[in-house]
Amino acid sequence: MATSTLIQSLIPGAAANQSARSKRQTFLAGGTIAAGQFVSLDSSKTGADRALYVKVVDTSGGAIAIGVPTVGVALAAAAAGDQVVVTVAGYAENASVGTATTIDLALTIDGTTSGRASIAAAANVNICAIALENATSNTADVWVIPSM
């Protein structure tokens, strides 16, 4: 897993990939991942591969454990086995979020839609991001809270 912390840029209006305010790491996709989805380590793998592969955070069936861990937001789509760059801390554009997401609110993993964040419930202690804008078509720019 390669780590990249970008060079500091204090230029207002600079592109998202020119900011030291985000940290990205490259993983291998454990399955199909869409751009903007929240991902977690793939514990279905064995040995050290569990820290090499990521998968979409699975909340299928509405079952979600308190404090579901996240690694971050996938920057681009990836098929199983492909490399996928993940924002593990800081600014991420077009993250998958719930429609009720509003600016400045803490987000946690959505309990009904895999790979999506929604407004944090008091019962879920894993804050994965902060919304930097209101949701539009289930996407919003977010600040990823580092968990690594």
Side-chain angles (χ1 to χ4, degrees):
M1 151 173 68
T3 300
S4 173
T5 302
L6 301 174
I7 296 172
Q8 177 77 20
S9 175
L10 296 176
I11 302 167
N17 64 355
Q18 295 179 336
S19 173
R21 308 236 185 291
S22 64
K23 183 177 179 182
R24 298 179 174 108
Q25 292 189 351
T26 302
F27 295 88
L28 295 177
T32 302
I33 299 171
Q37 286 187 309
F38 283 82
V39 296
S40 63
L41 295 176
D42 189 349
S43 58
S44 71
K45 303 297 182 193
T46 58
D49 283 354
R50 291 176 287 206
L52 177 62
Y53 286 82
V54 291
K55 63 181 180 179
V56 174
V57 176
D58 184 13
T59 57
S60 58
I64 185 169
I66 292 177
V68 170
T70 60
V71 170
V73 175
L75 293 181
D82 289 351
Q83 289 187 3
V84 59
V85 178
V86 177
T87 299
V88 297
Y91 183 72
E93 291 182 318
N94 300 315
S96 178
V97 298
T99 55
T101 297
T102 53
I103 192 168
D104 294 334
L105 289 182
L107 304 175
T108 189
I109 294 302
D110 190 292
T112 57
T113 304
S114 294
R116 179 178 291 167
S118 61
I119 298 170
N124 194 320
V125 296
N126 184 34
I127 305 301
C128 61
I130 298 169
L132 297 176
E133 63 184 0
N134 296 336
T136 304
S137 300
N138 287 106
T139 64
D141 296 348
V142 300
W143 183 266
V144 176
I145 304 297
S147 63
M148 303 176 65

